Amino acid sequence: MKTLLVLAALLALAACSTTPTGNTEVSATLAGVVEGTDANPTLLGKSLDLSGATVTVNGDDAQVSVRPGMVIHGQGVDYGSSIAVQSVDVQIEVKGPIDSVDVAASQLVVLGQTVTVDALTRIYEENPDDTYTSLVLGDLQAGDYVEVSGTRQDDGSILATRIERKLVSSGDPEYGQVEVKGYAASLDEVAKTFELGGYAVDYGTAYVEGTPAEGAFVEVKGTLSGTTITASKVEFKTGDSGMDYDGEKAEIYGPVANLDTTAMTFEVAGFSVDYSGANVEGSLQEGAYVEVEGTPDANDPALIHAYKVEVKYEDGGDGSCDGELKGAVESVDYGAMLITVGGQTFWANTATIVKQDDPDAPLTFGDLQVGDWVEVKFDSYSTNADGYAYAAKIEVKGMDDGEGSDGSYYELEGYAQNVDAAAMTFELNGFTVVVDSATVYEVYDSYADAATFWGLVSDGDKVEVKGAVNADGDFLASKIELDD
């Protein structure tokens, strides 16, 4: 069963049962999946002010930015529309080389951990200039070094919310440095070993927190050699997450699991929710993404007595994606639910996720307009009678998508056509891409000059272009990336 995509924020309110106003300062305990953009990360629709925050990763000091899709825990002050974050811990479920990728099953395996990808999973590649290129599952392959943030499902697998392919190869020292969470098996307290997802863990010289126990949820950091992890740190946790929450008010966001309409309970983001006294807005069903407001039980902080439940995405993140296209909407057929972007037409249905990125909010297919700049995540294996691929997610983008610095450009992504190296132009998603002396080139994750780029690019190559439409209607590129 599809389970928890954690997006929660527990707000410690001063004996108050309503959302704080802009003039109210409320101490807040934060937990959940970050939404919004790189430039404006949000949690439950509230901007996160991270300027004064101490940032850690799985409890350890780290130099990292908080980005959309990451699962975080933290503390801050809630001002109603924004949160001044004081401390934040980024939760990484597994970090290391990929064992295998199964695009058809929407899964990959990392250090023996099964990772599930859906339409809401954000997949990126780290660039040398600290920017990120958007990817799909089909871009990943065995041996890639990745970092996965997400939440555990009932079967022990990880539902990924963000996957980053790092700039690390098998010859780099960092390639052997791994982190992984999971359930300890075949524990031998004398030999100080156990198994984790088919990998042997030797914790004989490790710093150990908690009590070793068979089947315990553990967090391991160490060095990988073959299929053996020599641990430097092992933490045996109580419960699945080891998270502790306080607060007089709870605000939770995520997918519904174990819905019991008779008992009027369900699970979301690691919490049990009693909605018997709640005002429910929308159709509550298994897998639906919901926002929950309520109060923690006095005796069980993992039990929330909801007074409001609002359905945000009724069909959750169901739907696999093996392709991605970014560009302007050229046409929309509302009756047939067809959308054309960059010369490609996609079919959609009521399960298609339609949303905007900033502020993060659900839309309907009827909200889409010609000229909107969108990112379409599609499933090329699911075609209709006309051969159109299925649009699993359509996200309306704002300027820059938070991936640049000045907010003055858009982004195109797709496959180059009609490449003219002499004229230094090609066609992409309905635009003629042109360059000037200021255009920056990147080839296979390394910066390059114009001659190198134009000597390599050819029809059908995957490219990502950032820039703006000029007065002639052409797309003037400020940066072009040629993907491997």
Side-chain angles (χ1 to χ4, degrees), residues 96-99 110 139-146 165-166 168 175:
I98 295 175
D99 297 331
V110 185
D139 293 320
L140 303 178
Q141 56 187 351
D144 286 346
Y145 189 86
V146 296
R165 183 164 69 185
K166 313 297 284 186
V168 178
Y175 192 84

Side-chain angles (χ1 to χ4, degrees), residues 89-169:
D89 188 42
V90 177
Q91 300 293 296
I92 301 300
E93 293 298 313
V94 61
K95 180 179 181 179
I98 295 175
D99 297 331
S100 63
V101 179
D102 188 338
V103 177
S106 295
Q107 290 183 334
L108 63 154
V109 178
V110 185
L111 294 180
Q113 303 294 304
T114 299
V115 179
T116 301
V117 173
D118 68 9
L120 290 173
T121 304
R122 299 172 185 259
I123 307 177
Y124 296 99
E125 178 173 55
E126 181 183 44
N127 295 321
D129 59 355
D130 198 34
T131 62
Y132 288 83
T133 299
S134 179
L135 303 176
V136 293
L137 181 58
D139 293 320
L140 303 178
Q141 56 187 351
D144 286 346
Y145 189 86
V146 296
E147 184 177 87
V148 180
S149 192
T151 185
R152 294 282 167 171
Q153 299 180 281
D154 285 345
D155 61 3
S157 65
I158 303 165
L159 179 58
T161 54
R162 182 182 175 99
I163 300 174
E164 288 185 17
R165 183 164 69 185
K166 313 297 284 186
L167 288 173
V168 178
S169 65

Side-chain angles (χ1 to χ4, degrees), residues 130-481:
D130 198 34
T131 62
Y132 288 83
T133 299
S134 179
L135 303 176
V136 293
L137 181 58
D139 293 320
L140 303 178
Q141 56 187 351
D144 286 346
Y145 189 86
V146 296
E147 184 177 87
V148 180
S149 192
T151 185
R152 294 282 167 171
Q153 299 180 281
D154 285 345
D155 61 3
S157 65
I158 303 165
L159 179 58
T161 54
R162 182 182 175 99
I163 300 174
E164 288 185 17
R165 183 164 69 185
K166 313 297 284 186
L167 288 173
V168 178
S169 65
S170 59
D172 296 330
E174 188 180 346
Y175 192 84
Q177 302 300 311
V178 299
E179 299 183 27
V180 58
K181 298 177 183 178
Y183 298 90
S186 302
L187 176 68
D188 187 332
E189 294 190 60
V190 176
K192 295 189 181 301
T193 61
F194 59 86
E195 292 183 3
L196 187 62
Y199 282 73
V201 178
D202 178 354
Y203 68 98
T205 59
Y207 172 72
V208 179
E209 294 182 3
T211 303
E214 179 73 15
F217 192 79
V218 296
E219 180 179 321
V220 177
K221 299 179 182 179
T223 304
L224 177 67
S225 177
T227 58
T228 299
I229 300 172
T230 302
S232 57
K233 180 180 179 181
V234 176
E235 184 176 356
F236 291 86
K237 298 175 179 289
T238 57
D240 286 1
S241 66
M243 296 183 294
D244 294 320
Y245 289 113
D246 298 311
E248 296 182 49
K249 180 181 178 181
E251 293 190 42
I252 307 175
Y253 174 78
V256 169
N258 295 325
L259 176 64
D260 187 333
T261 56
T262 301
M264 302 190 75
T265 60
F266 58 82
E267 295 177 3
V268 62
F271 294 89
S272 297
V273 177
D274 166 21
Y275 68 95
S276 59
N279 175 32
V280 179
E281 300 178 11
S283 177
L284 188 60
Q285 59 188 31
E286 194 79 12
Y289 276 70
V290 296
E291 294 181 350
V292 177
E293 294 185 53
T295 55
D297 186 87
N299 299 314
D300 183 2
L303 172 62
I304 305 301
H305 299 285
Y307 50 78
K308 181 179 180 181
V309 176
E310 183 176 354
V311 178
K312 189 173 181 181
Y313 297 110
E314 185 174 312
D315 294 293
D318 285 342
S320 61
C321 311
D322 67 307
E324 178 182 71
L325 185 66
K326 295 178 182 178
V329 175
E330 297 173 2
S331 66
V332 185
D333 186 330
Y334 299 106
M337 296 192 74
L338 301 175
I339 182 172
T340 301
V341 179
Q344 298 187 49
T345 300
F346 304 93
W347 71 278
N349 58 18
T350 55
T352 298
I353 295 173
V354 184
K355 64 189 293 290
Q356 62 185 26
D357 70 336
D358 190 17
D360 189 277
L363 302 173
T364 68
F365 192 83
D367 293 324
L368 298 172
Q369 301 291 326
V370 172
D372 284 345
W373 212 265
V374 298
E375 174 188 86
V376 180
K377 298 270 190 177
F378 61 88
D379 180 1
S380 62
Y381 295 98
S382 298
T383 57
N384 65 4
D386 295 317
Y388 301 145
Y390 172 65
K393 185 177 78 168
I394 303 170
E395 185 167 351
V396 179
K397 301 301 217 178
M399 291 296 287
D400 169 48
D401 189 26
E403 296 184 64
S405 59
D406 62 3
S408 64
Y409 54 77
Y410 284 118
E411 182 177 340
L412 294 173
E413 183 173 346
Y415 300 91
Q417 300 296 328
N418 297 322
V419 175
D420 187 336
M424 294 196 293
T425 65
F426 58 84
E427 294 180 4
L428 179 64
N429 299 351
F431 288 94
T432 297
V433 177
V434 298
V435 300
D436 61 17
S437 60
T439 301
V440 176
Y441 299 92
E442 189 174 311
V443 175
Y444 311 150
D445 298 324
S446 297
Y447 288 106
D449 58 20
T452 299
F453 174 85
W454 290 106
L456 290 172
V457 67
S458 59
D459 285 3
D461 284 344
K462 185 178 180 183
V463 292
E464 184 168 346
V465 183
K466 296 177 181 179
V469 179
N470 64 18
D472 296 326
D474 296 329
F475 197 89
L476 177 58
S478 59
K479 182 178 181 180
I480 306 177
E481 298 177 25

